């Protein structure tokens, strides 16, 4: 495992007789480490639910900067852990699928696409180390490295009290005001009270859980012997538009597969609304081959949006301005995450740049039908070469 795959080690703590406890204590005194469960505070602090999605990138940037400054004023060195992996257990997978299906059926989506990427980039802009866990569960990964490195944990998740042999303090909440004026982060210590449904487990594991400093989703996909790309919905309008926009951008995703050097077909899977027999949510699976046809658009994100979604500026008469602008944001985010997955383009920077055009609610009501939303009608699923008509 290379050094870039693990958080910076400050004070190793393990069941190893060769570890010098006195040296470990001296290292801890030199630096106060706080390992943050970033997504745990996503909607409770870093951005409020129900705000216009075009305002979310700037809000996250501001809230992160304030949080980091307050932590530094208090003498804390932060490392933020984010979960980049798809649920691994059957129970977690079923829960995830049920939630995504409900978003399609009930026509709602509270958290905009790409917030994990936004949060990670915002912390990096503030000079904070960010680690994506992608092999083990994020809680297990954070707990392991906090124990090893002598860090405290900031998370309201009671699961952090289930680890046997753990040697870290858990803070469940925080507050701060006037960080720039010197106010430091006020931390509220958690009370050991693990959820009854959580089984205890040892904090140490072998091999150590790996992390990456950039969202490794597509890297992991490339390394998989049987690549499986599964996603939910982009906005609340999937049912009414009659198509999941993940299908609309399939040709661009196929180009990314090709650029990554992938040769195997990828099994793509998304929820869609089936109008037959009163309507229901179905999970559609299709096998997709890498195809470089749209490779040039990976380096031209704005052109990619205009190509794949050419009629976003006109609001269909069946939608109000707020829900359509959120949908437009989701279409941009969907394209930008693909364009920023390979190379040096910043997902957050691309969104902030586009926000100036759309935050004010550009666009008027027009006669755009369901097929006018990009190149998406039901035929959007068959775009691009490869596989069984393209997948996802």
């Amino acid at each position: 495992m290379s050094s870039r795959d693990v958080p910076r080690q400050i004070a190793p703590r393990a069941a190893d007789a060769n570890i010098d406890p006195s040296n470990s204590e001296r290292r801890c005194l030199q630096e106060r480490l706080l390992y943050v469960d970033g997504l745990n505070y996503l909607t409770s602090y870093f951005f409020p639910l129900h705000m216009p999605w075009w305002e979310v990138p700037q809000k996250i940037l501001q809230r992160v900067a304030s949080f980091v400054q307050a932590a530094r004023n208090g003498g804390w060195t932060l490392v933020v852990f984010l979960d980049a992996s798809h649920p691994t257990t059957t129970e977690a997978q079923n829960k995830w699928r049920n939630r995504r299906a409900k978003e399609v059926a009930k026509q709602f989506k509270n958290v905009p696409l790409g917030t994990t990427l936004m949060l990670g980039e915002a912390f990096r802009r503030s000079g904070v180390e960010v680690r994506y866990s992608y092999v083990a569960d994020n809680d297990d990964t954070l707990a392991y490295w906090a124990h090893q490195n002598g860090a405290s944990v900031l998370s309201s998740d009671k699961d952090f009290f289930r680890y046997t042999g753990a040697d870290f303090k858990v803070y469940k909440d925080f507050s701060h005001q006037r960080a720039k004026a010197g106010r430091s982060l006020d931390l509220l210590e958690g009370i050991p009270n693990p959820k009854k449904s959580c089984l205890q487990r040892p904090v140490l594991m072998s091999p150590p859980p790996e992390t990456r400093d950039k969202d490794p989703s597509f890297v992991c996909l490339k390394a998989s012997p049987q690549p499986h790309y599964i996603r939910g919905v982009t906005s609340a309008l999937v049912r009414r538009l009659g198509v999941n926009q993940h299908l609309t951008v399939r040709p661009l995703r196929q180009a990314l597969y090709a650029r990554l050097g992938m040769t195997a077909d990828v099994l793509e899977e998304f929820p869609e609304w089936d109008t037959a027999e009163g309507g229901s949510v179905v999970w559609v699976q299709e096998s997709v081959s890498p195809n470089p046809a749209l490779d040039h658009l990976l380096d031209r994100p704005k052109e990619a949006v205009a190509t794949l979604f050419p009629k976003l500026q006109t609001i269909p008469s069946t939608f109000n301005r707020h829900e359509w602008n959120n949908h437009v944001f989701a279409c941009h985010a969907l394209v930008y995450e693909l364009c920023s997955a390979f190379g040096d383009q910043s997902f957050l920077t691309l969104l902030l740049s586009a926000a100036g055009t759309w935050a004010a609610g550009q666009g008027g009501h027009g006669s755009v039908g369901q097929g006018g939303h990009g190149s998406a009608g039901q035929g959007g699923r068959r775009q691009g070469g490869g596989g069984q008509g393209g997948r996802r």
Side-chain angles (χ1 to χ4, degrees):
M1 187 188 309
S2 66
S3 59
R4 70 184 181 87
D5 293 333
V6 300
R8 181 166 45 92
Q9 294 196 3
I10 302 299
R13 290 174 179 264
D16 187 335
N18 294 322
I19 297 294
D20 179 2
S22 61
N23 181 61
S24 175
E25 292 171 3
R26 286 195 298 270
R27 299 289 294 276
C28 289
L29 288 173
Q30 294 171 6
E31 187 164 15
R32 299 173 69 197
L33 284 174
L34 185 63
Y35 283 6
V36 182
D37 182 6
L39 295 181
N40 193 249
Y41 301 98
L42 182 64
T43 57
S44 63
Y45 173 75
F46 292 114
F47 81 91
L49 287 174
H50 310 303
M51 73 181 304
W53 286 2
W54 280 111
E55 297 177 13
V56 170
Q58 187 63 41
K59 177 62 69 175
I60 287 179
L61 202 59
Q62 293 170 346
R63 290 281 178 92
V64 165
S66 180
F67 175 83
V68 171
Q69 185 60 56
R72 287 173 177 160
N73 289 344
W76 291 103
T77 295
L78 303 176
V79 179
V80 175
F81 284 74
L82 301 173
D83 196 342
S85 61
H86 186 70
T88 54
T89 66
T90 300
E91 180 182 3
Q93 289 175 359
N94 290 337
K95 183 183 294 186
W96 183 87
R97 285 175 179 272
N98 289 337
R99 287 174 177 172
R100 304 293 79 80
K102 185 178 180 180
E103 288 176 342
V104 176
K106 300 296 184 181
Q107 303 181 66
F108 77 93
K109 185 172 176 63
N110 290 329
V111 179
L113 185 78
T115 48
T116 300
L117 289 174
M118 287 184 242
L119 192 64
E121 286 197 23
F123 271 106
R124 281 199 296 271
R125 282 192 180 198
S126 290
V128 173
E129 182 178 357
V130 177
R131 309 306 308 183
Y132 288 88
S133 59
Y134 70 102
V135 175
D137 177 83
N138 189 58
D139 290 353
D140 294 346
T141 302
L142 194 161
Y144 177 94
W145 290 113
H147 175 80
Q148 289 289 78
N149 296 345
S152 296
V153 172
L154 176 59
S155 176
S156 62
D157 192 339
K158 294 181 179 179
D159 287 357
F160 282 100
F161 292 108
R162 68 179 171 180
Y163 297 101
T164 59
D167 185 17
F168 52 73
K169 181 179 291 186
V170 178
Y171 296 101
K172 67 177 183 179
D173 207 352
F174 64 89
S175 64
H176 69 86
Q177 295 178 359
R178 301 185 301 277
K180 291 183 179 179
R183 181 69 179 266
S184 63
L185 202 63
D186 296 325
L187 298 174
L188 179 63
E189 190 170 346
I191 300 174
N193 184 25
K195 291 182 288 189
K196 294 181 180 180
S197 59
C198 289
L199 298 176
Q200 287 192 325
R201 63 181 69 176
V203 70
L204 295 178
M205 63 180 72
S206 181
E210 295 184 45
T211 67
R212 293 291 178 91
D213 59 4
K214 187 176 181 180
D215 189 331
S217 299
F218 285 100
V219 175
C220 295
L221 195 69
K222 177 183 176 181
S224 174
Q226 295 181 318
H228 185 194
Y229 186 71
I230 179 171
R231 296 291 294 273
V233 298
T234 54
S235 76
L237 306 187
V238 167
R239 176 174 172 177
R240 279 187 280 172
L241 288 169
V243 64
N244 189 323
Q245 286 67 51
H246 284 292
L247 295 170
T248 309
V249 303
R250 171 173 285 157
L252 189 65
R253 198 165 48 249
Q254 289 176 274
L256 178 60
Y257 296 156
R259 182 176 286 198
L260 289 171
M262 298 176 63
T263 56
D265 285 0
V266 180
L267 181 63
E268 294 188 337
E269 184 176 5
F270 313 99
E272 293 188 84
W273 182 254
D274 186 353
T275 57
E277 299 182 3
S280 62
V281 177
V282 295
W283 286 84
V284 178
Q285 292 186 348
E286 294 187 54
S287 182
V288 174
S289 298
N291 187 327
L294 295 188
D295 179 82
H296 62 289
L297 291 182
L298 291 172
D299 300 316
R300 305 171 188 172
K302 292 183 179 180
E303 184 179 338
V305 173
T307 300
L308 295 167
F309 301 101
K311 297 182 179 180
L312 289 179
Q313 294 188 23
T314 303
I315 305 176
S317 59
T318 52
F319 301 112
N320 63 52
R321 185 182 301 276
H322 173 75
E323 62 186 0
W324 186 253
N325 280 346
N326 280 354
H327 177 72
V328 170
F329 173 91
C331 293
H332 281 74
L334 184 56
V335 170
Y336 292 167
E337 73 171 8
L338 295 176
C339 293
S340 62
F342 186 92
D344 298 325
Q345 296 190 89
S346 163
F347 177 73
L348 184 57
T349 298
L350 290 171
L351 284 175
L352 289 169
S353 176
T357 303
W358 292 98
Q362 178 178 324
H365 286 283
S367 57
V368 179
Q370 291 183 358
H373 148 78
S375 35
Q378 291 290 352
R381 216 203 295 174
R382 299 296 170 189
Q383 292 183 33
Q388 303 167 7
R391 163 168 94 48
R392 233 202 196 182

